[in-house]
Amino acid sequence: MAGGHRLTAGLNKPIVLLIVIAGVERFAFKGVASNLVTYLTDVVKMSNSSAAKMVNSWCGFTSMVPLVVAPLADSYWDRYTTVQSAALLYALGLVMLASTALGWLLIPIGKVSSSALLHWSLYLISLGQGGYNPSLQAFGADQLDDGDELPSNKTDHSSDKRRLFFQWWYFGICCGSLLGVSLMSYIQDTLGWGLGFAIPAISFLASIAIFLLGNRFYKHKKAKNVDNKSTENMTQTVKTTLSRMFCGKIDLDRNSDVAELELQEKPLFDADPEGMEGLYEKSENENHLVQIAKMVLPLLPVWTMLLMFAVIFQQPPTFFTKQGMTMKRNIGSKFKIPPAALQSAITVSIILLMPLYDILFIPLTRILTQNEKGISVIQRMGIGMFLSVIAMVIAALTERKRLELSRQMVASDLLSETVPLSIFWLLPQYILLGISDIFTVVGMQEFFYSEVPLRFRTMGIALYTSVFGVGSFLSALLISLVECFTSSGGRENSWFNDDMRNSRLDSYYWLLAILDSVSFVGFVIFFRFHKSRI
């Protein structure tokens, strides 16, 4: 107990409550998303590639919505109100999805109407989550002591508290994800999709009630409304911004006291101090959108190099799950492991190993690096990216083994699609992705949160989630391109053949490993020249 208290010291009661609420939200979302590809192929009767592209596109849209909502939450609304409003849309989408699943099974309605209801429910969930998640996390960070929000002689202490917050926030949502992946996939596969989608909806409604009941404990920080500009001023501002962009002068100011106060940390790049002075000063002549552009542009190189890492994380709920459906899943004579449940190995790895990061890893790296922080945020992200490459190499080798056994069965005239290979052969790739999560995802949250001004903190969280949003779209695009090139000789030649005995997912995994390696090398080279100090 003393060790647990030491690990969570600095996290007050409102933060702990919000971590629990965030965990329930992840339970609800993962309860839907983790097994959605199975629902689309088995119930809606979509092809493997179509189902994977739909899931990727939906996840991508879900992660991109925060980029639209965050500026509003930061500047025109307060975060508490944004959480409340977004939660209503989120809950409506979950309820509609559960109703759709029940209707598909119990009420014979037209296929077009069913498909429309399915799409409406999924994208309502996306819209709701787009406002809910970044606002809830930024609202949680607002609950830190005021002393942690401004630079002082205790900067290192404040940074430690912020790192602790993001680490335990991620730990909480991983606990919720674990329950959503393992419990809900079993219920959906055995007790039905209606109940399997109804439980997440009910759980999320309960979390909204808990959030509202905790209102008296929260600190509320109102967003500072920016001045409304006339059309003429906005046009002039856009012209000025474009001119600066094309002249290559957008950069972070190193000497501005205002920027130093707002950023709390040293900026990302070591650049010309004669660059744009007072970048984040509250100028009367500068439009709010221009300020956001100036904030985002210097972060785009890092954001871009993280995209392939995000693509890797679209594989567990799609093709990893389809692999598992063709492998031996029996435990005993009656129980059969739901393929989507194996995604819980990622979250179990995180839950078991996350506490060890502070207890063992950081003290060890302090000895090796002679740095009080152990490793920087950038180094943390880089380690996770490297581990994701290894995970894809292992995934490719495992899939090659599965295909060899499958072809041997075809040669022996065995018609079963299930190969004599245990689903637990997939565990190493899942576990490695979980470990890479601890490094890269937590590092990304702290990086994007710390590199933006105080009043744009929701936008910082949105930038982090948008990496996975664009990564989802990029994953769908890659599937389309690969399918186009590999099926030119006929559908049966596609790497994503619906008959898993003739698919070539191993080749696809090798492609992802190569692309992820290129991103990792680019990441390392980039930060050899531009060092972040967080």
Side-chain angles (χ1 to χ4, degrees):
M1 290 294 292
H5 176 73
R6 184 170 62 254
L7 281 172
T8 57
L11 300 185
N12 54 37
K13 290 179 180 179
I15 290 178
V16 174
L17 176 62
L18 291 170
I19 288 174
V20 172
I21 291 170
V24 175
E25 183 277 329
R26 282 293 89 186
F27 167 78
F29 182 76
K30 288 294 185 180
V32 171
S34 63
N35 209 20
L36 185 60
V37 70
T38 306
Y39 180 70
L40 295 176
T41 54
D42 292 358
V43 179
V44 188
K45 304 302 180 184
M46 296 176 67
S47 68
N48 288 344
S49 59
S50 296
K53 284 188 285 187
M54 180 175 174
V55 171
N56 287 336
S57 297
W58 174 62
C59 291
F61 178 77
T62 302
S63 299
M64 291 298 292
V65 172
L67 287 178
V68 177
V69 179
L72 299 175
D74 280 331
S75 303
Y76 297 99
W77 308 331
D78 64 277
R79 289 161 186 163
Y80 181 77
T81 303
T82 306
V83 170
Q84 286 179 308
S85 304
L88 292 177
L89 284 178
Y90 201 156
L92 179 60
L94 289 169
V95 170
M96 282 182 60
L97 181 63
S99 303
T100 301
L102 288 168
W104 225 312
L105 297 174
L106 302 178
I107 305 172
I109 58 178
K111 185 175 181 180
V112 174
S113 300
S114 298
S115 179
L117 285 173
L118 173 64
H119 281 80
W120 270 106
S121 60
L122 289 176
Y123 285 101
L124 272 175
I125 292 172
S126 297
L127 290 171
Q129 192 194 95
Y132 186 87
N133 273 1
S135 298
L136 185 68
Q137 189 168 7
F139 185 68
D142 287 345
Q143 308 309 307
L144 291 169
D145 295 336
D146 289 337
D148 297 326
E149 293 295 332
L150 292 171
S152 67
N153 294 330
K154 299 181 180 179
T155 302
D156 290 340
H157 178 64
S158 300
S159 178
D160 286 343
K161 277 194 172 185
R162 191 165 56 247
R163 176 177 56 81
L164 191 68
F165 166 76
F166 285 111
Q167 198 150 297
W168 282 99
W169 185 275
Y170 195 59
F171 180 86
I173 64 178
C174 285
C175 289
S177 297
L178 174 61
L179 282 176
V181 169
S182 56
L183 179 62
M184 296 317 305
S185 60
Y186 176 77
I187 291 175
Q188 289 158 359
D189 286 356
T190 57
L191 301 180
W193 291 96
L195 180 63
F197 287 153
I199 292 175
I202 294 170
S203 301
F204 185 72
L205 288 170
S207 74
I208 297 174
I210 294 171
F211 176 76
L212 295 175
L213 289 173
N215 182 43
R216 62 194 182 96
F217 300 109
Y218 304 142
K219 295 178 184 176
H220 292 271
K221 296 184 180 181
K222 296 290 183 181
K224 296 179 180 178
N225 194 5
V226 297
D227 294 335
N228 292 321
K229 306 292 183 182
S230 65
T231 304
E232 293 80 10
N233 284 343
M234 288 184 66
T235 303
Q236 182 61 38
T237 309
V238 171
K239 288 180 179 178
T240 303
T241 306
L242 291 174
S243 175
R244 289 170 177 172
M245 287 174 64
F246 286 115
C247 289
K249 293 184 179 179
I250 291 186
D251 203 348
L252 290 178
D253 176 33
R254 289 300 168 270
N255 298 321
S256 170
D257 293 334
V258 176
E260 186 70 19
L261 282 172
E262 288 185 335
L263 284 172
Q264 300 183 24
E265 302 282 353
K266 296 296 183 183
L268 178 60
F269 304 122
D270 293 324
D272 179 10
E274 298 301 321
M276 295 180 62
E277 294 187 0
L279 176 62
Y280 294 120
E281 291 180 14
K282 297 177 182 178
S283 171
E284 293 296 327
N285 298 321
E286 191 166 60
N287 181 264
H288 184 62
L289 293 177
V290 178
Q291 296 176 24
I292 293 176
K294 290 178 180 179
M295 174 192 69
V296 170
L297 286 173
L299 299 176
L300 280 182
V302 183
W303 183 91
T304 302
M305 285 178 283
L306 289 166
L307 289 178
M308 278 310 303
F309 176 83
V311 170
I312 299 299
F313 271 84
Q314 301 310 312
Q315 307 317 305
T318 52
F319 291 126
F320 283 11
T321 299
K322 292 303 294 183
Q323 276 180 275
M325 293 176 70
T326 68
M327 302 171 79
K328 286 177 62 178
R329 298 183 281 128
N330 294 77
I331 296 181
S333 57
K334 294 183 179 179
F335 183 76
K336 192 175 267 191
I337 301 172
L342 219 62
Q343 294 172 51
S344 62
I346 296 177
T347 46
V348 168
S349 302
I350 295 168
I351 290 169
L352 293 179
L353 298 176
M354 181 79 80
L356 298 180
Y357 182 86
D358 278 321
I359 295 173
L360 295 177
F361 183 79
I362 291 299
L364 179 62
T365 53
R366 281 173 181 162
I367 296 172
L368 297 176
T369 64
Q370 300 298 309
N371 187 326
E372 183 60 27
K373 292 183 178 180
I375 59 173
S376 69
V377 173
I378 299 303
Q379 290 169 331
R380 182 172 186 164
M381 290 192 289
I383 291 171
M385 291 176 70
F386 176 75
L387 291 176
S388 70
V389 174
I390 303 301
M392 291 315 300
V393 170
I394 292 175
L397 295 173
T398 303
E399 175 62 6
R400 174 65 63 86
K401 178 68 175 177
R402 188 195 70 82
L403 284 172
E404 288 176 355
L405 291 174
S406 182
R407 286 163 186 161
Q408 290 174 12
M409 292 174 62
V410 172
S412 303
D413 294 327
L414 296 176
L415 299 180
S416 174
E417 193 178 45
T418 302
V419 299
L421 186 68
S422 172
I423 194 173
F424 292 116
W425 276 82
L426 298 178
L427 275 179
Q429 63 206 56
Y430 279 103
I431 292 172
L432 266 177
L433 286 180
I435 298 172
S436 71
D437 241 21
I438 295 173
F439 287 92
T440 300
V441 176
V442 177
M444 287 168 62
Q445 291 181 13
E446 185 177 353
F447 176 82
F448 286 109
Y449 181 86
S450 301
E451 288 289 339
V452 299
L454 281 175
R455 58 199 178 100
F456 288 121
R457 286 294 162 80
T458 308
M459 188 65 187
I461 301 297
L463 282 171
Y464 145 71
T465 62
S466 70
V467 171
F468 292 93
V470 175
S472 296
F473 288 122
L474 184 58
S475 179
L477 176 62
L478 275 173
I479 292 172
S480 297
L481 292 174
V482 168
E483 192 172 36
C484 177
F485 284 108
T486 60
S487 62
S488 57
R491 177 71 185 177
E492 65 278 1
N493 295 323
S494 173
W495 284 1
F496 310 117
N497 196 305
D498 289 342
D499 185 346
M500 292 294 288
R501 293 171 295 188
N502 297 319
S503 66
R504 290 305 309 270
L505 289 180
D506 58 327
S507 299
Y508 182 61
Y509 293 157
W510 281 117
L511 174 64
L512 293 181
I514 292 170
L515 294 175
D516 198 21
S517 298
V518 172
S519 294
F520 170 69
V521 171
F523 184 87
V524 172
I525 294 173
F526 182 80
F527 279 103
R528 291 280 293 181
F529 296 96
H530 302 93
K531 296 183 181 295
S532 174
R533 302 181 186 179
I534 65 171

